[in-house]
Amino acid sequence: MQKMGKQKNKTASFSFWNWVIASIIFRLILIYFPKNLNLASRPEVSTPLTSFRRLAEGYWLKQLSMSPYAGFSFCFFFFSLCPTFFNFFFILIRQKKEMYLIFLVFGYSGSMYHGSPLLLSLLGPLTVKRIEGQPNHLLYSLVSVIADVVSAILIRATGKNLRLAYLRSLESLDIVQQTKASEILSPGDAAALIYLWNPFTIVACVGLSTSPIENMAVILCLYGACSRLVPLAAFGWVIATHLSLYPAILIIPVIFLLGCGPDAPPRKLFLQKNNKEEVLSKSKLRLGFSWRPITHFAFWALLWSAYVLVLCGISLKQFGGLWEMFKSTYGFILTVEDLSPNIGVLWYFFAEVFDFFRNFFLIVFHVNILFMIMPLAIRLHHRPCFLAFVYIAIFSMLKSYPSVGDSALYLGLLGWFVNELADIQFSFFLFCGYVGVSLLSPVMHTLWIWRGTGNANFYFATAMVYACLQIILVVEGVSAMLNHDRKLRNLATSKPQDAKS
Amino acid sequence: MTLLQRPLLVLLLLVTHHLLQCWIAFGSVDEEGQKQEEFNEELLLKPLPDRKVLAHFHFQSSAPPSTSNGRHHHLFPKAISQLVQKFRVKEMELSFTQGRWNYERWGGFDPIASSNAKPPGVELWAVFDVPQHQVDASWKNLTHALSGLFCASINFLESTSTYSAPEWSFPPSSGNLRYGTLPREAVCTENLTPWLKLLPCRDKAGLAVLLDRPSIYRGFYHSQRLHLTSTGSGSKGTDSGIILNQALTVVLQPIQPNGLRASMDHASEKHIQPSWSLSSIFGKQVRGRCVLAKSSKVYLQLDRGLVAELKRIHKENEKSVANGLTSENFWSYPSFELSANPDRIVIEENSLHSKSSSILYNFQVEKYSESEPLDLGLTWKIPVVWLCQSAPLHSSRFLMGSGNERGAIAISLKSTQLREGFMGAFADNERCELRVDVFQVVPWYVKVYFHSLQVFIDQQPKAVSDVIEKIHVSPSKDKVSPGMMEMVLKLPCRVKSAALTIEFDKGFLHIDEYPPDANQGFDIPSAIISFPNFHASMFFLEDGSVNKSPLLSKFQEKSPVMSYTEVLLVPLTTPDFSMPYNVITITCTVFALYFGSLLNVLRRRIAEEERFLKDKATKKTGQLPLLLSKLSAKLRGRPWEPPHSPPSTSFFISSKLVFKVILVAGLAVGWQYYFS
């Protein structure tokens, strides 16, 4: 992945915007492709949480004044009474007054939609709106494309920000000369182009899943924290958590980012440096941990979450309220109820595991994400952006309904660290593994589901390999980053000796 | 003395007379009670156009609402009355069916086809007379009771994912209705025997004698029904009256005796309908009535289409032969021959939708006895071809798509040729519309996308709002409730074909949720298509005895024409059933790999760092560990050694290890002690 990004970036460094426009055109070509390549129904793209068809179903039910999740509702809909609102939904040709369409709705609603009610209100109308002569879901696809481009721009800005901070810290350590040689690329451009041109991102965007929007919220949060826009960071964090729960753990890197600024070499180095050379002005770097932005962040986060909850509460007022929403979004994520195949490993595990142990394993798997938070935070606290990348990679690997959209996010963020992770181990092996899995997995799925010649184990095996690849990527990434820090320290500590000798 | 004795005697006589009168009075009350509890048995036979014979047994037992009888019944089955009292069932119908009613050939418009043709397997619906929140509990208990009563797995209908509560599309519309089906239930003699047990004569006497197991299960269609209605309030603790209708419908293929076949020439044999008799189709004869039955009748019904055809043949013959037969008594014309003389011939009163009316031949079973059994037979003389009257639209349902990921259900409605005749009545007004009600239940693992509903009329896609007047969906909830869809369609009268399609995703189940033969597939229960504008009823003008025949009065009930569609078989993907251990171990290994290797990377220090830290520990910092090690050395009474000397550290570590082991063991012991 990384090498690919590098290669692309070599040619792209002078014309970043050309490549962005090219990627938009490429997406549009795919959108206009006949039948949309049927990407919307691929298990890799549409999980029960991000599926476009489920969103459309939820919107349909909501239009019939039924709860998109569950609950008890009884209502009549007189379409002739409010034709202006529904004219794009059902075209009424009847002129006579008594021919209004009565939708009588009663009973428990289904377990189809598990996303946020806000998405339903914002994106729902786009699922049914059609323009003559254009692809069916053009407007919705355009929203995804815009979300992708915005994410890429934010990634680029954050990457530049990171780069500046990094260079400044190197300057303060006086080791710019040694590291200069290894710099090839601007990490912001690299990350943005990796994100835009990653096949996973393209597939998730063209496949009408909601993950581009979720990714955008995460990136918004990181961008806000990096550029110290506390309200924006809080907004991104609240929305990302609201949409898919797992980004909640990003609060730790965000706190580090706000508290002590973007990624830098270990603080100990500066202290040593300062001990040795008292001349170095402290004004260049803030070494302390400032609590002020954090209290700001907490305030804004509370405000935004209250706002989001109120909005959800209003839109779900007649459908059982917020409790139903939590039950069928977060509850659905935490108790892996839907066992349809995806690129993760949990679906098959919970389809096979004995019922007696189900709860135990649910706890074990979710705690696995939480267990790693503390050790990583302790070891990587000086690099909050990298910490965020590792967290994102971990939860998109271990989440209950992973999709390629989640992988696209962390692979894009990987571009931020091209220089630091230049000497990562197994990078070629990982690249080949990703390519191999993304080719084999659809084949195995076809063999199992469509042709009936393979069985579930074939597909599960590719999911297993994919999980292993992501594990190797995370582990090697962390190890490479720690090694890079060691290298920096060696440079910083050995430099005076070198100068003497 | 004698004078004195006489008045005493008179008094005694008076007293005894009084007592006797009382006795007689009591007796008469008893007799009245007995009279009110009735049992009727009837059998209707009908030749079908495709060389088959329909036999429809109908047994009706009724118990009037009464306070005097208490819990005792003379004829009425106690099990059923207890069921009704306990669960407060207002109306209930249970049917066991094998085979599928052929709506095209056997008709879909007459009362037998419309209300007696049932979907394969078990179908149960019940209306309860209890408050809304108790309905589900009553239903659960009812299913268990019926399951025990009929030796069937009706108790599977107890789980909420198998039954639904239709609002208005199912005919006895009521808020307390529950409806459930088990399409895969195998129906056999073990279900028939308890059903027969409810009859007062069982299958020992009367018409039920004909129910010879091998011959009725050989048939093409077999459906046994139990329908009960409780009348009266039953609010004051009194018994409510119950009417129990038991009906058994079989479609049998008459076996032609070899001799007969040989006598016929081959050319006419091809077209001529097979001749049959009770003994040839059932292997038994009726040897008198059940003595407890109030009435015992056998009917032979000639279809409307058949009668029309016979009339036509008769007219042709009249022209050619020109004999003195009038058209009124053409049924005595020898196009066929009956082996027994009918006691009465009844003609259908006014058939609304048809040109001709059907004919019933009535046979009283009382006349026949052991020595002179009734062996009703029908022998055809000339070939006759006719069609049964079918429902306005012929409905069928099928699956679309391939693969195990998704698919679509399609319900197609096609107009039948016979419709033109009775459509004529409505054709004159301009905005003639045909109303069709659709009721469809889908199990939760067939995840229906209701927004993908599409309507096609005459192969042209139409806007949903143009055709569907009213829709009510209740989406499925995973493992909790099935999806249900009720629709009212308004189709133009001249419609040739209409189709509804709806897409679904196939669900993936836990391995325990698959049935033993998982690869066979899962059933989607039949959809019910009803035509509320059309009523399947027949009026037979009988000389004052209409009220006495429950079967004929049942025929008179105005019920909408209904038909059931096919049961669909959806193959679902299966996981590997032999894999649970492998999957658990492999997945856990991957998780361990993640956890272990990441933790290892985080705590790993390369050699240089180790040395650096040790130096630091010894030189600058680390006062506390140094002190501790000194202290421990003092305590042990040994000279203190610098910690980096190998033997000392190893000993120190081992002692630490021992301490840790003891700590853990202590904790374990404490835990054990505390919790036991």
Side-chain angles (χ1 to χ4, degrees):
Chain A
M1 281 297 121
Q2 210 186 0
K3 294 211 163 167
M4 199 170 64
K6 274 183 195 172
Q7 266 183 347
K8 266 172 196 155
N9 216 51
K10 264 178 198 167
T11 53
S13 53
F14 49 90
S15 57
F16 171 77
W17 293 106
N18 288 355
W19 280 99
V20 171
I21 290 162
S23 79
I24 294 172
I25 290 168
F26 185 62
R27 279 172 168 75
L28 287 178
I29 289 170
L30 287 181
I31 287 164
Y32 274 90
F33 215 78
K35 282 273 168 193
N36 219 349
L37 296 170
N38 256 338
L39 284 173
S41 52
R42 296 293 313 168
E44 294 88 359
V45 177
S46 64
T47 63
L49 292 176
T50 62
S51 162
F52 173 75
R53 294 172 85 202
R54 287 179 187 246
L55 180 76
E57 178 77 3
Y59 181 67
W60 193 81
L61 292 177
K62 203 182 163 209
Q63 289 307 87
L64 297 191
S65 74
M66 276 171 110
S67 162
Y69 309 115
F72 201 69
S73 55
F74 186 84
C75 203
F76 291 91
F77 252 62
F78 296 95
F79 268 63
S80 61
L81 299 181
C82 36
T84 45
F85 184 57
F86 291 109
N87 58 355
F88 58 83
F89 177 53
F90 275 119
I91 307 134
L92 277 175
I93 301 168
R94 308 277 186 194
Q95 287 89 20
K96 293 223 166 187
K97 272 283 174 199
E98 74 267 16
M99 293 316 294
Y100 48 67
L101 196 69
I102 302 174
F103 270 78
L104 196 152
V105 171
F106 176 78
Y108 298 94
S109 334
S111 49
M112 267 305 200
Y113 184 61
H114 299 284
S116 142
L118 298 183
L119 273 190
L120 211 60
S121 314
L122 292 175
L123 297 180
L126 303 181
T127 61
V128 287
K129 203 159 190 166
R130 291 203 166 90
I131 302 168
E132 278 306 310
Q134 303 287 327
N136 278 347
H137 308 298
L138 182 68
L139 289 173
Y140 185 85
S141 316
L142 287 180
V143 168
S144 312
V145 172
I146 290 167
D148 266 3
V149 173
V150 168
S151 309
I153 291 167
L154 290 180
I155 287 177
R156 185 168 181 244
T158 316
K160 283 193 167 157
N161 213 334
L162 281 179
R163 186 79 199 134
L164 281 178
Y166 183 67
L167 281 177
R168 223 184 309 144
S169 61
L170 288 190
E171 256 174 47
S172 70
L173 288 175
D174 270 352
I175 48 171
V176 185
Q177 298 308 316
Q178 285 93 328
T179 48
K180 201 82 183 172
S182 63
E183 276 162 37
I184 319 153
L185 315 152
S186 149
D189 288 356
L193 287 183
I194 289 175
Y195 185 76
L196 272 184
W197 279 98
N198 188 347
F200 289 172
T201 327
I202 294 171
V203 161
C205 171
V206 178
L208 303 170
S209 83
T210 56
S211 41
I213 314 254
E214 287 166 20
N215 290 351
M216 190 173 75
V218 172
I219 291 166
L220 208 63
C221 164
L222 292 180
Y223 169 76
C226 259
S227 41
R228 313 192 70 75
L229 300 168
V230 177
L232 189 67
F235 176 74
W237 182 72
V238 167
I239 292 292
T241 307
H242 172 65
L243 292 183
S244 66
L245 178 66
Y246 291 98
I249 59 172
L250 291 182
I251 193 168
I252 293 168
V254 166
I255 284 173
F256 281 130
L257 266 175
L258 291 173
C260 25
D263 294 23
R267 208 159 299 133
K268 246 183 275 172
L269 269 184
F270 296 109
L271 294 175
Q272 284 174 12
K273 198 84 185 170
N274 288 353
N275 287 343
K276 281 176 186 170
E277 302 169 35
E278 299 290 334
V279 203
L280 194 76
S281 63
K282 274 192 177 179
S283 60
K284 263 189 181 176
L285 288 157
R286 295 169 302 106
L287 292 175
F289 192 88
S290 59
W291 284 100
R292 230 180 120 77
I294 304 212
T295 47
H296 267 183
F297 177 78
F299 167 73
W300 277 104
L302 275 177
L303 199 70
W304 284 121
S305 44
Y307 182 58
V308 165
L309 286 182
V310 165
L311 281 186
C312 291
I314 288 168
S315 69
L316 292 174
K317 199 168 58 192
Q318 70 260 47
F319 311 129
L322 290 176
W323 178 240
E324 287 299 332
M325 180 191 85
F326 285 127
K327 239 177 23 188
S328 65
T329 52
Y330 293 171
F332 182 75
I333 291 170
L334 292 177
T335 61
V336 190
E337 281 166 21
D338 197 301
L339 302 175
S340 51
N342 52 43
I343 55 169
V345 289
L346 296 194
W347 62 273
Y348 201 47
F349 186 89
F350 286 111
E352 296 264 355
V353 81
F354 310 104
D355 249 353
F356 180 72
F357 293 115
R358 191 184 158 88
N359 290 336
F360 168 71
F361 278 110
L362 275 176
I363 292 167
V364 166
F365 288 158
H366 286 115
V367 158
N368 241 318
I369 301 178
L370 299 179
F371 262 160
M372 268 330 203
I373 290 177
M374 275 323 281
L376 282 167
I378 291 167
R379 204 81 167 95
L380 292 169
H381 63 97
H382 55 282
R383 292 190 177 275
C385 276
F386 186 71
L387 186 64
F389 157 75
V390 173
Y391 283 165
I392 291 169
I394 286 175
F395 72 64
S396 58
M397 168 171 71
L398 301 181
K399 74 196 288 190
S400 356
Y401 311 100
S403 72
V404 290
D406 302 313
S407 307
L409 177 62
Y410 73 77
L411 288 175
L413 299 192
L414 193 61
W416 282 346
F417 315 104
V418 269
N419 297 320
E420 288 90 333
L421 300 183
D423 42 4
I424 186 173
Q425 274 185 308
F426 309 125
S427 56
F428 182 66
F429 167 76
L430 280 174
F431 175 69
C432 292
Y434 270 89
V435 171
V437 165
S438 44
L439 291 179
L440 268 182
S441 168
V443 171
M444 292 308 171
H445 189 259
T446 309
L447 281 185
W448 173 38
I449 300 283
W450 293 95
R451 300 187 61 88
T453 45
N455 72 20
N457 301 339
F458 289 41
Y459 186 68
F460 180 63
T462 59
M464 216 77 245
V465 171
Y466 188 62
C468 288
L469 284 175
Q470 297 182 84
I471 289 168
I472 294 171
L473 178 72
V474 167
V475 169
E476 290 306 321
V478 170
S479 132
M481 187 54 91
L482 292 175
N483 281 334
H484 179 75
D485 281 346
R486 274 177 206 126
K487 202 179 88 187
L488 283 186
R489 188 179 47 226
N490 284 346
L491 281 174
T493 49
S494 62
K495 198 200 153 199
Q497 292 160 11
D498 290 348
K500 274 174 203 166
S501 63
Chain B
M1 201 63 194
T2 51
L3 278 170
L4 256 170
Q5 273 181 334
R6 221 170 238 174
L8 262 174
L9 213 92
V10 170
L11 204 74
L12 207 79
L13 267 169
L14 270 170
V15 166
T16 48
H17 182 73
H18 222 78
L19 273 172
L20 267 171
Q21 265 188 335
C22 280
W23 266 107
I24 287 159
F26 268 119
S28 67
V29 164
D30 243 24
E31 253 165 32
E32 269 173 33
Q34 229 168 22
K35 258 184 192 170
Q36 282 166 352
E37 230 166 72
E38 274 180 15
F39 173 70
N40 292 294
E41 52 175 11
E42 276 151 311
L43 165 65
L44 182 121
L45 294 161
K46 183 176 157 186
L48 292 173
D50 60 340
R51 307 168 72 85
K52 296 191 180 69
V53 180
L54 171 98
H56 178 71
F57 293 85
H58 185 258
F59 306 98
Q60 187 183 57
S61 332
S62 58
S66 61
T67 45
S68 59
N69 274 353
R71 290 186 186 156
H72 296 285
H73 292 285
H74 297 276
L75 292 172
F76 197 80
K78 196 177 175 186
I80 297 295
S81 72
Q82 281 176 338
L83 206 73
V84 171
Q85 279 167 26
K86 181 110 202 260
F87 306 120
R88 305 180 65 93
V89 182
K90 220 194 224 165
E91 199 175 353
M92 185 195 93
E93 184 168 10
L94 172 68
S95 68
F96 295 89
T97 310
Q98 221 170 19
R100 204 178 104 70
W101 181 265
N102 192 336
Y103 285 96
E104 273 173 321
R105 289 181 164 180
W106 304 340
F109 205 80
D110 51 325
I112 291 184
S114 174
S115 57
N116 289 313
K118 288 284 164 189
V122 169
E123 186 202 50
L124 173 70
W125 60 261
V127 183
F128 297 94
D129 187 23
V130 293
Q132 194 76 42
H133 62 277
Q134 290 173 16
V135 175
D136 284 326
S138 299
W139 167 266
K140 277 173 193 173
N141 291 329
L142 178 71
T143 55
H144 278 272
L146 287 174
S147 173
L149 208 57
F150 288 101
C151 296
S153 34
I154 306 170
N155 56 327
F156 287 157
L157 288 176
E158 137 196 77
S159 95
T160 50
S161 60
T162 50
Y163 68 87
S164 54
E167 270 304 302
W168 35 259
S169 61
F170 202 68
S173 305
S174 161
N176 295 340
L177 175 71
R178 292 292 179 274
Y179 173 89
T181 52
L182 293 172
R184 204 178 283 181
E185 181 75 8
V187 179
C188 204
T189 49
E190 81 266 20
N191 307 121
L192 183 65
T193 312
W195 186 82
L196 285 172
K197 262 187 174 174
L198 302 177
L199 303 176
C201 295
R202 307 207 171 175
D203 56 345
K204 300 285 181 271
L207 294 175
V209 169
L210 290 175
L211 294 172
D212 175 43
R213 307 299 194 282
S215 45
I216 62 167
Y217 284 106
R218 201 175 49 209
F220 290 82
Y221 175 81
H222 163 99
S223 168
Q224 70 186 61
R225 293 195 314 137
L226 180 128
H227 179 265
L228 65 87
T229 3
S230 73
T231 55
S233 59
S235 55
K236 287 165 268 171
T238 57
D239 289 351
S240 50
I242 311 166
I243 297 170
L244 173 71
N245 284 303
Q246 285 174 268
L248 189 134
T249 313
V250 277
V251 174
L252 299 168
Q253 175 88 66
I255 308 159
Q256 215 140 22
N258 282 331
L260 201 69
R261 190 173 288 172
S263 70
M264 301 227 171
D265 56 321
H266 286 280
S268 66
E269 196 206 346
K270 263 189 182 173
H271 303 292
I272 205 158
Q273 295 282 329
S275 303
W276 49 267
S277 66
L278 283 182
S279 57
S280 80
I281 55 173
F282 289 112
K284 299 249 173 101
Q285 295 163 333
V286 179
R287 299 171 188 283
R289 68 193 189 101
C290 167
V291 284
L292 295 168
K294 194 181 151 216
S295 68
S296 177
K297 286 171 192 163
V298 175
Y299 297 100
L300 174 73
Q301 191 198 354
L302 298 186
D303 214 34
R304 287 165 185 160
L306 177 58
V307 170
E309 179 68 18
L310 288 177
K311 262 185 187 166
R312 193 185 60 77
I313 292 170
H314 172 67
K315 265 181 194 160
E316 273 177 19
N317 284 7
E318 208 172 34
K319 274 173 196 164
S320 59
V321 183
N323 55 0
L325 280 166
T326 53
S327 60
E328 270 71 44
N329 58 351
F330 76 95
W331 47 84
S332 55
Y333 183 75
S335 52
F336 59 89
E337 199 172 74
L338 294 177
S339 67
N341 279 328
D343 296 304
R344 197 182 294 124
I345 299 168
V346 196
I347 306 174
E348 190 187 353
E349 177 68 344
N350 55 337
S351 58
L352 195 67
H353 308 302
S354 179
K355 280 166 269 178
S356 62
S357 46
S358 75
I359 294 172
L360 274 187
Y361 294 85
N362 188 348
F363 301 87
Q364 301 283 345
V365 182
E366 289 100 64
K367 288 185 182 171
Y368 303 91
S369 64
E370 193 76 36
S371 54
E372 195 191 340
L374 170 64
D375 186 14
L376 176 61
L378 181 75
T379 315
W380 291 97
K381 295 253 173 92
I382 52 165
V384 187
V385 179
W386 78 98
L387 279 173
C388 277
Q389 199 174 17
S390 48
L393 295 171
H394 177 252
S395 54
S396 63
R397 193 177 59 160
F398 51 90
L399 284 178
M400 300 196 298
S402 65
N404 282 332
E405 199 179 16
R406 55 180 179 268
I409 303 173
I411 297 174
S412 104
L413 303 163
K414 278 199 186 113
S415 74
T416 49
Q417 296 91 351
L418 278 170
R419 219 184 80 233
E420 264 86 64
F422 50 79
M423 265 340 245
F426 300 101
D428 49 338
N429 61 344
E430 280 292 300
R431 293 181 59 258
C432 151
E433 275 182 332
L434 181 64
R435 189 181 152 181
V436 183
D437 287 7
V438 179
F439 170 56
Q440 163 87 70
V441 176
V442 282
W444 69 265
Y445 39 78
V446 174
K447 297 177 175 177
V448 172
Y449 289 99
F450 290 105
H451 75 272
S452 66
L453 181 70
Q454 279 180 300
V455 184
F456 296 88
I457 288 177
D458 296 334
Q459 272 97 41
Q460 297 298 316
K462 292 272 167 157
V464 173
S465 55
D466 285 356
V467 180
I468 295 178
E469 193 194 40
K470 205 165 144 191
I471 185 171
H472 164 215
V473 294
S474 86
S476 61
K477 277 196 98 177
D478 285 358
K479 294 169 199 185
V480 175
S481 64
M484 185 183 63
M485 181 170 67
E486 294 171 274
M487 282 189 288
V488 175
L489 307 180
K490 282 268 176 166
L491 302 174
C493 281
R494 308 233 167 265
V495 66
K496 287 274 180 298
S497 70
L500 294 170
T501 62
I502 190 159
E503 289 171 28
F504 64 86
D505 269 0
K506 293 179 183 182
F508 292 80
L509 311 179
H510 185 261
I511 46 170
D512 291 346
E513 289 163 344
Y514 286 94
D517 52 348
N519 286 305
Q520 193 199 327
F522 291 75
D523 295 297
I524 302 183
S526 298
I528 301 174
I529 315 282
S530 56
F531 305 93
N533 294 351
F534 297 92
H535 295 287
S537 54
M538 286 171 145
F539 291 94
F540 287 100
L541 190 70
E542 228 177 342
D543 38 331
S545 60
V546 174
N547 300 328
K548 283 171 195 165
S549 165
L551 180 65
L552 297 188
S553 54
K554 200 97 188 139
F555 278 6
Q556 284 187 13
E557 281 174 13
K558 267 201 162 192
S559 60
V561 174
M562 264 177 35
S563 59
Y564 287 86
T565 62
E566 297 91 341
V567 169
L568 293 178
L569 191 66
V570 185
L572 290 189
T573 334
T574 55
D576 193 336
F577 293 108
S578 58
M579 284 285 278
Y581 291 102
N582 301 354
V583 169
I584 292 169
T585 49
I586 293 172
T587 313
C588 289
T589 311
V590 170
F591 273 82
L593 175 75
Y594 150 76
F595 192 78
S597 56
L598 192 55
L599 213 58
N600 182 34
V601 162
L602 287 178
R603 66 157 293 282
R604 185 172 55 198
R605 293 199 171 98
I606 49 174
E608 199 183 338
E609 270 177 328
E610 295 273 351
R611 224 179 313 124
F612 175 71
L613 282 175
K614 262 177 201 165
D615 286 355
K616 240 169 59 176
T618 47
K619 283 171 192 166
K620 289 179 204 164
T621 53
Q623 294 299 320
L624 193 69
L626 208 68
L627 276 175
L628 272 178
S629 65
K630 272 184 183 170
L631 193 72
S632 66
K634 278 224 171 113
L635 282 176
R636 277 192 222 114
R638 280 180 202 173
W640 177 72
E641 291 168 43
H644 55 266
S645 66
S648 154
T649 46
S650 70
F651 177 77
F652 191 56
I653 283 166
S654 74
S655 75
K656 245 183 178 174
L657 196 74
V658 167
F659 174 70
K660 273 182 193 166
V661 167
I662 288 167
L663 186 74
V664 168
L667 275 176
V669 166
W671 179 274
Q672 192 68 25
Y673 178 77
Y674 184 73
F675 280 99
S676 65

